[in-house]
């Protein structure tokens, strides 16, 4: 089950990746959810803005392939997780004439 959607914005000449949680895991009997975003592979350089929030942003990425995981746990200690792959490529240099 896909738990997230990715939104990319350009802010101050940098691209910021926002991971947004889709509301598919909650149910009427377990309204208290815990979230954990973590990097499971990829280059060492990254920042997860809010690793324990339903919505977060990842920045300071360098060229490479990252894998991020979101784990959602309800009040009954039932968890679901999903992994996403993010490929960051260096911007191509443009020659000016």
């Amino acid at each position: 089950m896909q738990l997230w959607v990715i939104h990319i914005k350009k802010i101050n000449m940098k691209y910021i990746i926002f991971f947004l949680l889709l509301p598919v895991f909650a149910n009427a009997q377990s309204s208290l959810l815990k979230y954990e975003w973590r990097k499971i592979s990829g280059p060492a350089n990254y920042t997860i803005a809010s690793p324990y929030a339903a919505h977060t942003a990842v920045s300071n990425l360098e060229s490479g392939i990252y894998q991020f995981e979101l784990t959602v746990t309800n009040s009954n200690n039932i968890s679901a997780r999903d992994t996403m792959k993010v490929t960051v490529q260096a911007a191509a240099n443009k020659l000016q004439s």
Side-chain angles (χ1 to χ4, degrees):
M1 170 175 24
Q2 183 173 329
L3 300 175
W4 49 270
V5 65
I6 294 175
H7 179 71
I8 300 173
K9 278 188 177 179
K10 189 174 185 180
I11 300 173
N12 295 331
M13 302 300 290
K14 291 185 178 181
Y15 288 97
I16 308 294
I17 300 171
F18 295 88
F19 298 121
L20 306 175
L21 180 70
L22 297 176
V24 295
F25 189 66
N27 62 45
Q29 273 128 29
S30 60
S31 59
L32 178 63
L33 297 177
K34 295 179 189 175
Y35 308 94
E36 181 180 2
W37 298 90
R38 67 186 188 107
K39 182 192 79 148
I40 57 175
S41 68
N45 195 34
Y46 74 99
T47 302
I48 298 176
S50 300
Y52 300 104
H55 308 274
T56 194
V58 177
S59 59
N60 298 324
L61 301 176
E62 57 190 41
S63 294
I65 298 173
Y66 295 81
Q67 285 194 8
F68 293 96
E69 180 179 81
L70 168 63
T71 302
V72 181
T73 306
N74 69 15
S75 59
N76 296 321
N77 208 29
I78 298 171
S79 296
R81 66 178 53 146
D82 199 7
T83 302
M84 63 216 69
K85 182 169 112 175
V86 177
T87 301
V88 178
Q89 296 178 335
N93 291 330
K94 294 184 178 181
L95 298 177
Q96 301 212 353
S97 47

